[in-house]
Amino acid sequence: MFAAYVTVTVLASVFTAIAAATYLIGHDYPKAQLDMKRLPHSWMPMLGTFLALGSVGLLVGFAVPLLGILASVGLVLYFVLALVAHLRVGSRKLVGWGVFFVTVVAAVVVNLAHHG
């Protein structure tokens, strides 16, 4: 169980850190996503910060388990809201979203299983 916990948590942290970096550096992909969802570009730093905090929180969870659990739950909520944003504009391009969502849900599951 420990190997799954470490693997899934690190994977989720890496995925969300990469996504955070793209938002924080102003990459074209998140700009296109915001345009598609009809959201302002001024949200990019805030969204990138949320992702970065979640990513760091997952890693801090190795030392402080409660923070890891809270970070993983926070990331699930982030991606639930991202789904709402997709559906609000009628977007059905959800493969990327699905990869992130499954990964952060798995992080919640392994965190709870390992520490619960």
Side-chain angles (χ1 to χ4, degrees):
M1 182 64 209
F2 180 74
Y5 161 64
V6 171
T7 302
V8 170
T9 301
V10 170
L11 184 64
S13 180
V14 168
F15 279 9
T16 55
I18 291 169
T22 64
Y23 275 87
L24 293 171
I25 66 170
H27 192 272
D28 288 339
Y29 182 75
K31 287 179 184 175
Q33 287 293 304
L34 289 172
D35 289 341
M36 182 265 301
K37 295 171 191 151
R38 291 185 240 133
L39 297 171
H41 286 203
S42 63
W43 286 21
M44 284 182 67
M46 176 185 58
L47 295 172
T49 300
F50 288 153
L51 288 167
L53 289 172
S55 178
V56 170
L58 287 172
L59 297 178
V60 171
F62 288 123
V64 184
L66 180 60
L67 288 180
I69 292 167
L70 292 174
S72 60
V73 169
L75 287 167
V76 168
L77 292 174
Y78 177 96
F79 287 105
V80 166
L81 292 173
L83 176 63
V84 170
H86 272 277
L87 298 177
R88 181 180 63 88
V89 296
S91 171
R92 299 297 183 256
K93 297 178 182 179
L94 299 172
V95 173
W97 171 86
V99 170
F100 279 97
F101 186 72
V102 167
T103 304
V104 297
V105 167
V108 170
V109 170
V110 297
N111 267 277
L112 290 174
H114 183 71
H115 298 294

